[in-house]
Amino acid sequence: MKIVREFENYTENSPKVLSLGMFDGVHLGHLSIINLLKKIAQEKQFETALLTFWPHPRKVFNPNDDIKLLNTLDEKLDLLEKAHLDVVFLKSFDENFRNLTGEEFVRQILIEKLNVKHIVIGHDHVFGKNKSGNFELLQKLSKELNFEVEQLKAVKDGDSNISSTKIRNCLSDGNIIGANKMLGYHYSVSGKIIDGKKLGRTIGYPTANIEVDELKLLPKKGAYIVEVYVKNKFYKGMLSIGTNPTVNGEKLTVEVYILDFNEDIYGEEITVKFRDFLHEEIKFESLEKLIERLDEDKKLTENFEF
């Protein structure tokens, strides 16, 4: 997969079938669009292309917006590569770009610059200044500018449409199974293992503290069953997101206890994949009560079918 970071100097003229949007999560709804791109590309000998943005446009409109995302940039690009796209245009949402009307964007960028011959958009996608670009505008311009366009219906999970917003809401509610179902994969968090207070080792549950990208959405505070990947090996794990209220902690931490593991991994990269929610964050009346609950969580994790 070719990644084009800005396209001011892009000169390749191969015809493309393209979709556009933030594609946060690269979830099952997004994959339905990508699969259609690949089908059209095979039929017409086009390149498959995606135009996506970094950072999130909301950060440009409001720099103080504290939006958290389902994917870091590296995670998103990795997921798109696994979807076997030919080219991804990664555009920063700068002032010039945000001031393009929908029609200017289609004429100047999609057609003149990128040679798009077929456009696929999601059921509710809008683009351009004041959201002036939509499916109706694309239909209107398609004959004059010699391209085809189609709009995909929403992919549903039960009675509701799959969307990045709904997945974020599931994670914020601790509904890991619901989020994973809409994503089509297990939600993950990656980062470097950093020094912590080392309190866990004093009670028989040494944990690895994970330094998480500040833009990454964390599920709600609580305990989770996770898959752990470190040094290219898989382990079962129990992960805690919270402030360690039993010992009067204040800083939010992400800590994982890795079952059947006893290695020094400070400074290593680690990935955890969320499988199920164990319980909310609890302030226990004593360390003994905390240990009792950790013992219960460990049994549940050992017996979980990964």
Side-chain angles (χ1 to χ4, degrees), residues 98-116:
R98 71 180 279 189
N99 284 319
L100 288 174
T101 66
E103 183 164 344
E104 288 169 339
F105 171 73
V106 174
R107 289 180 182 277
Q108 296 173 25
I109 306 298
L110 298 187
I111 306 306
E112 292 176 20
K113 194 74 185 167
L114 305 184
N115 194 25
V116 175

Side-chain angles (χ1 to χ4, degrees), residues 38-285:
K38 292 194 287 190
K39 180 172 178 284
I40 293 165
Q42 192 171 26
E43 291 170 356
K44 300 187 176 182
Q45 299 302 297
F46 290 166
E47 273 195 323
T48 55
L50 182 70
L51 196 163
T52 189
F53 308 101
W54 196 268
H56 197 290
R58 272 172 55 179
K59 279 284 184 186
V60 178
F61 288 108
N62 181 7
N64 296 320
D65 194 322
D66 192 33
I67 184 170
K68 302 292 185 185
L69 301 176
L70 298 172
N71 300 142
T72 64
L73 179 56
D74 286 345
E75 287 171 349
K76 179 159 81 166
L77 292 175
D78 183 54
L79 287 164
L80 292 174
E81 179 141 36
K82 286 175 180 170
H84 303 296
L85 284 163
D86 293 320
V87 57
V88 170
F89 297 102
L90 191 61
K91 185 75 181 78
S92 59
F93 207 79
D94 53 34
E95 280 297 317
N96 289 335
F97 195 77
R98 71 180 279 189
N99 284 319
L100 288 174
T101 66
E103 183 164 344
E104 288 169 339
F105 171 73
V106 174
R107 289 180 182 277
Q108 296 173 25
I109 306 298
L110 298 187
I111 306 306
E112 292 176 20
K113 194 74 185 167
L114 305 184
N115 194 25
V116 175
K117 294 296 184 184
H118 201 129
I119 300 170
V120 177
I121 63 170
H123 73 284
D124 59 353
H125 190 72
V126 291
F127 56 91
K129 190 175 182 181
N130 299 323
K131 300 181 179 177
S132 54
N134 52 29
F135 181 61
E136 287 68 30
L137 174 73
L138 289 168
Q139 282 184 311
K140 183 180 135 189
L141 293 173
S142 62
K143 290 187 177 61
E144 177 196 344
L145 299 175
N146 190 32
F147 67 87
E148 293 183 70
V149 58
E150 51 196 295
Q151 185 175 44
L152 224 60
K153 290 181 179 177
V155 175
K156 292 190 175 288
D157 174 36
D159 294 330
S160 63
N161 299 340
I162 291 175
S163 73
S164 301
T165 300
K166 284 179 181 164
I167 294 168
R168 289 190 203 106
N169 290 341
C170 276
L171 292 169
S172 296
D173 291 339
N175 181 4
I176 295 300
I177 291 172
N180 287 345
K181 188 177 175 191
M182 288 190 279
L183 285 167
Y185 59 89
H186 301 129
Y187 191 68
S188 69
V189 165
S190 299
K192 187 181 288 186
I193 299 171
I194 56 173
D195 269 331
K197 291 184 177 179
K198 300 181 172 64
L199 293 171
R201 65 180 58 183
T202 67
I203 58 171
Y205 283 93
T207 59
N209 281 49
I210 306 173
E211 186 177 44
V212 180
D213 189 300
E214 61 180 13
L215 283 175
K216 178 78 175 181
L217 177 69
L218 291 173
K220 75 181 289 186
K221 290 180 184 178
Y224 297 85
I225 295 174
V226 294
E227 299 176 13
V228 181
Y229 295 88
V230 63
K231 292 185 174 180
N232 297 316
K233 289 184 180 176
F234 159 74
Y235 302 91
K236 297 180 180 183
M238 298 146 50
L239 180 130
S240 167
I241 299 172
T243 58
N244 296 306
T246 304
V247 293
N248 300 313
E250 294 179 357
K251 184 183 175 185
L252 185 74
T253 61
V254 181
E255 303 176 53
V256 61
Y257 169 72
I258 308 171
L259 276 66
D260 304 315
F261 185 84
N262 184 26
E263 291 183 37
D264 180 3
I265 50 173
Y266 285 112
E268 296 283 347
E269 287 291 320
I270 190 171
T271 295
V272 295
K273 297 185 179 182
F274 290 82
R275 296 300 305 268
D276 208 353
F277 182 65
L278 283 166
H279 56 78
E280 310 233 353
E281 183 176 51
I282 304 168
K283 181 170 184 175
F284 294 94
E285 59 191 42

